[in-house]
Amino acid sequence: MTSSSATRSALSPYGWDDAWAEAFAPYDAQGLLPGRVVRVDRGQCDVVTAEGTVRADTAFVTPHDPLRVVCTGDWVAVEPAGNPRYVRTYLPRRTAFVRSTSSKRSEGQILAANVDHAVVAVSLAAELDLARIERFLALAWESGAQPLVVLTKADLVPDPVTRAHLVQDVETSAPGVPVFTVSAQDGDGLDILAAVAAGGTSVLLGQSGAGKSTLANALLGEDEMDVQAIRDVDGKGRHTTTTRNLLALPGGGVLIDTPGLRGVGLWDAGTGVGQVFAEIEELAEGCRFHDCAHESEPGCAVQEAIATGELPQRRLDSYRKLLRENQRIVAKTDARLRAEIRKDWKRKGAIGKAAMEAKRGGHRR
């Protein structure tokens, strides 16, 4: 069995601490090795341990629930020997970044575990898609990690005034989230990102072409990740990274690089949506009716904020869209919520029917 001092020395750069050691104690007594998953590929995973990086099979931890499979960032208990050797279990996750799959079954897919910072990379080489940023941030907040937005390729926007306006646009859509620009080309802003990454585990998120792999290489100080050119026709990139890789950074901390995400479906992210649109939920507390839909109700503080220009209409539209989407996803797996939604539909239908009959009665008079 590897000594605790050797384990600490080997795994501390990957985030091992006293709390993880305490959680692992029962498995240590069984002679299993602690390790962190740095890559998962078709039922196999690479695990960094005090004995080096080992290849292990995840067959013992492959339940029907796709959210309980081994993923990059997990701390696991792995067999000390064997051909093949197996991961026996993973330790309870502190945080988990989950999205819904594009399948009709609406299953959740876990992208990374035990993340402290969710870095949403957005390229300045293309027009800002604020709604997509809000979507990423909802998932990031829901994961339990601290999100931040990094506007990459800042060298393509040399005018400081234009750049400041772009940052301000994103800050309006990301209350409580740090937003800053980075250029891997000239190194501008990399020191800020490196300081954040040194404080734990960070995951890089964003579309293909957002510059995630270039950022990863800049933080690593070497070309660890492949980089491909951006298509001139639409400013989009190809999928450079095809798996999620956990990498120890020379300045401290670890980084998980992820493939470009085309689809970013919400997965039970009601709390995250609320945090992204915190100003709307705060305004809603001042509405006359507690169940105000913020449409045409009298005394609606949200509509009043839109009328005065305090709240952009786009923000309310995006908020409603994400709430509806999240409700649909949750309803597919929550029978009680489905019943409540059907009850609400019937109630609104009855109100509408009564209003129509009253209107018709008024015409007859």
Side-chain angles (χ1 to χ4, degrees), residues 222-263:
E222 56 185 281
D223 292 339
E224 176 77 18
M225 311 303 296
D226 290 332
V227 178
Q228 293 186 359
I230 304 302
R231 299 197 299 257
D232 291 333
V233 64
D234 56 8
K236 295 181 180 179
R238 303 172 180 86
H239 286 290
T240 300
T241 304
T242 56
T243 58
R244 289 172 282 280
N245 303 283
L246 186 147
L247 308 159
L249 299 174
V254 293
L255 182 71
I256 299 175
D257 190 25
T258 65
L261 300 175
R262 288 194 181 95

Side-chain angles (χ1 to χ4, degrees), residues 5-28:
S5 59
T7 296
R8 181 174 296 277
S9 176
L11 298 183
S12 288
Y14 291 88
W16 185 257
D17 56 27
D18 290 341
W20 287 122
E22 183 178 351
F24 189 80
Y27 306 107
D28 184 52

